[in-house]
Amino acid sequence: MHKQVKISKGLNIKLKGSAKEHVSEVPRSKMFAIRPVEFYGINPKMVVKVGEKVQVGDVIFYHKYNDRIKFTSPVSGTIEDIVRGERRKILKILIKPDEKDAFKDFGTKNPKDLNRESVLETLLESGLFANIKQRPYDVIANPDDKPKAIFISAYDSAPLGVNYEFILRDRLKDFQTGIDALKKLTDGKIYLILENGVASKLENTEGVEVVKASGPHPVGNPSVSIEKFEPVGKGDRVWTINPVAVAQIGNLFKTGIYNPEKTIALVGSMVKEPQYYNVIPGADLSDFLKDKLKDGETRIISGNVLTGSNISKDLFLNFYDNEISVIPLGKKSRFLGWMPFLAENRKSFYRFNLIPSNKEKDLDANLFGEERAFVMNDEFESVMPLDIYPVHLLKAALLGDVEKMEELGILEVAPEDFALLDYISSSKIDTQELIRKGLDVMQVEMG
């Protein structure tokens, strides 16, 4: 009997441009980039120099304060440049790829025959450990910790979210081997979150506790299930990992090579033909996006529209993301656009339209106003399914009050859990950024 998690608070945002279940190949990118900023909380220590040759899986840099956590090259080629910013901060490492990849050999292994340290060492050396994040703090996990549980969400409930069932349709054996490896890392359960009411071949995965999730977004976020089944208390560690990364781990043990290529979705109302593509993380998307977008000014987002990052000026696919979202920029102002009968294409949580509509909308990136006073009301509670007081927690984070933040449940949340709050917020305050700062303070104070 599967476990169930059901929520009523939340919001489904229906957007135009969902991906058709068709996969296309793309030409090899002429440049790849590894950006340390994508790995939050990591202080990079370079291993390679400009002009040096690398293979897929060779270490590019490691974490200055934990040299076991390594980050490896997604392609074989030559280190073209190491771009630095203020105080010589490393912004990105550019790699000019070879015509054909050469792979570092990590050796084929059956994770069932290995102990925890052997599995862990393989993941660390290959760079795949970077896919594992921990609660609290929502940062890359500490390999020295043993989590009480691991959560894998294969249900993307975000707007224009990817279909993991489709992405992993030919990788079920890799996924199972990845689960076998992860089981060596914890004495607790591995929870696999799936959409309730939808048949999935992933249900047949051995060694997992299947959770059937139903309700509006953010029901697919791991935090919703973590709170119900493995709440995070002081001193606890719970790990989360994306299902695509689980399949990559399985492939690593089966073949002995790290293959970072994955199937991503190109979605959004500004995409001519939304569908899936096989792409390597870090790829320059400039050539890839040519002739695939409609005319007009666009906002290009690596990730989904609620939590993704704006890459319009730096077109490289982020390490963690499984989709590229492209929506209108929305710079044009509307005369009397606040009036209900002139807002036919806008969707509002507050239903200011005279005629409500459940149709897919062509929404843009316009904020419709500037930052305003952060007043106390109950708007955030209406879309927050977690058992917390979001306004109180946000104000505690704003003040950096460690004791108050702990009392109000910050150890159980991640910034992505507050994305809907940003969407409906009448104050235009970036709540995800506030929570991120609060988590940083907690990590410094509590370790």
Side-chain angles (χ1 to χ4, degrees):
M1 187 68 180
H2 300 323
K3 292 184 178 295
Q4 301 280 334
V5 60
K6 184 176 181 179
I7 63 172
S8 56
K9 291 183 178 181
L11 180 65
N12 287 326
I13 305 172
K14 296 182 179 181
L15 300 182
K16 291 182 179 179
S18 56
K20 296 180 181 178
E21 294 185 353
H22 174 75
V23 181
S24 295
E25 301 294 330
V26 298
R28 188 171 175 82
S29 176
K30 298 176 183 177
M31 192 66 66
F32 288 80
I34 303 175
R35 295 181 291 187
V37 69
E38 297 174 26
F39 309 101
Y40 195 83
I42 295 298
N43 291 280
K45 187 73 173 177
M46 293 299 301
V47 173
V48 297
K49 299 179 181 179
V50 174
E52 191 169 332
K53 294 283 292 183
V54 294
Q55 294 181 323
V56 180
D58 281 344
V59 178
I60 302 298
F61 62 89
Y62 60 86
H63 186 16
K64 182 178 180 180
Y65 300 114
N66 189 336
D67 59 8
R68 299 184 71 193
I69 302 177
K70 300 172 183 177
F71 302 84
T72 56
S73 177
V75 292
S76 63
T78 306
I79 304 298
E80 183 78 3
D81 195 11
I82 300 174
V83 183
R84 297 179 182 268
E86 294 182 2
R87 298 184 180 181
R88 294 186 56 77
K89 178 182 178 180
I90 300 173
L91 302 180
K92 57 187 174 184
I93 300 99
L94 296 175
I95 305 173
K96 187 175 182 179
D98 297 331
E99 290 186 7
K100 188 176 181 180
D101 281 328
F103 295 85
K104 181 178 178 179
D105 186 6
F106 294 96
T108 58
K109 307 163 187 174
N110 185 347
K112 291 184 177 180
D113 299 332
L114 303 177
N115 58 26
R116 184 180 192 273
E117 192 57 37
S118 296
V119 170
L120 196 56
E121 200 59 34
T122 301
L123 296 181
L124 290 164
E125 288 297 320
S126 66
L128 275 171
F129 188 83
N131 287 284
I132 302 175
K133 294 187 177 182
Q134 71 167 43
R135 303 293 171 83
Y137 315 133
D138 191 42
V139 294
I140 293 176
N142 185 343
D144 298 326
D145 294 335
K146 181 175 284 191
K148 71 173 186 174
I150 298 176
F151 282 77
I152 305 163
S153 179
Y155 176 24
D156 190 347
S157 58
L160 301 176
V162 300
N163 183 347
Y164 286 117
E165 181 73 18
F166 175 71
I167 289 177
L168 298 172
R169 68 197 185 286
D170 298 324
R171 307 191 66 182
L172 297 179
K173 291 183 179 179
D174 286 346
F175 187 82
Q176 180 62 68
T177 305
I179 293 295
D180 295 339
L182 292 174
K183 283 183 67 67
K184 296 289 183 174
L185 305 183
T186 178
D187 295 331
K189 295 180 180 179
I190 296 180
Y191 293 86
L192 177 61
I193 304 166
L194 301 173
E195 183 178 3
N196 192 28
V198 177
S200 171
K201 292 182 179 178
L202 294 173
E203 289 183 42
N204 300 322
T205 305
E206 297 177 359
V208 299
E209 190 84 33
V210 173
V211 176
K212 289 288 191 162
S214 57
H217 182 67
V219 69
N221 287 6
S223 295
V224 176
S225 296
I226 290 173
E227 182 186 65
K228 182 170 183 178
F229 303 116
E230 301 283 351
V232 181
K234 192 171 183 179
D236 288 338
R237 294 291 183 269
V238 171
W239 289 359
T240 64
I241 183 171
N242 185 277
V244 174
V246 176
Q248 290 176 336
I249 290 173
N251 183 72
L252 171 68
F253 282 93
K254 287 174 64 178
T255 65
I257 64 172
Y258 164 46
N259 183 2
E261 184 179 72
K262 58 184 176 181
T263 303
I264 69 165
L266 178 61
V267 298
S269 60
M270 293 301 288
V271 180
K272 291 179 181 178
E273 297 181 9
Q275 63 175 66
Y276 291 86
Y277 295 88
N278 290 327
V279 182
I280 297 175
D284 184 352
L285 302 174
S286 302
D287 292 334
F288 165 64
L289 291 175
K290 281 182 180 178
D291 302 323
K292 291 183 175 65
L293 306 183
K294 298 176 183 178
D295 294 334
E297 292 186 284
T298 60
R299 171 67 55 82
I300 303 174
I301 303 164
S302 184
N304 67 60
V305 294
L306 292 177
T307 62
S309 55
N310 178 12
I311 59 169
S312 300
K313 296 181 180 179
D314 197 19
L315 286 172
F316 292 96
L317 176 64
N318 287 354
F319 177 83
Y320 293 106
D321 295 329
N322 294 303
E323 68 181 287
I324 299 293
S325 306
V326 189
I327 60 175
L329 187 58
K331 289 177 65 176
K332 295 181 180 179
S333 59
R334 297 179 177 87
F335 179 65
L336 299 180
W338 55 272
M339 299 185 70
F341 56 83
L342 293 178
E344 70 285 345
N345 194 44
R346 284 176 58 186
K347 178 179 176 63
S348 173
F349 175 72
Y350 301 100
R351 299 181 182 176
F352 69 93
N353 284 349
L354 292 178
I355 305 176
S357 173
N358 289 322
K359 294 182 179 179
E360 294 178 342
K361 295 292 184 179
D362 182 11
L363 303 185
D364 56 40
N366 200 328
L367 291 178
F368 298 104
E370 299 177 349
E371 189 172 305
R372 309 179 184 112
F374 189 13
V375 297
M376 183 77 74
N377 57 45
D378 61 354
E379 63 179 1
F380 287 169
E381 279 81 356
S382 59
V383 295
M384 173 56 73
L386 302 178
D387 188 19
I388 61 173
Y389 295 105
V391 175
H392 297 78
L393 177 55
L394 287 165
K395 292 197 171 186
L398 192 63
L399 295 172
D401 189 331
V402 175
E403 292 184 1
K404 207 68 176 175
M405 285 190 287
E406 184 181 358
E407 290 175 6
L408 292 167
I410 198 170
L411 298 181
E412 294 192 30
V413 303
E416 66 178 10
D417 302 321
F418 288 73
L420 280 178
L421 276 60
D422 286 339
Y423 176 74
I424 72 166
S425 176
S426 57
S427 66
K428 311 296 180 182
I429 289 176
D430 191 341
T431 62
Q432 293 184 77
E433 182 180 352
L434 271 181
I435 291 298
R436 180 69 269 169
K437 290 179 178 178
L439 290 169
D440 291 345
V441 172
M442 295 297 294
Q443 188 174 15
V444 171
E445 295 296 326
M446 299 182 65

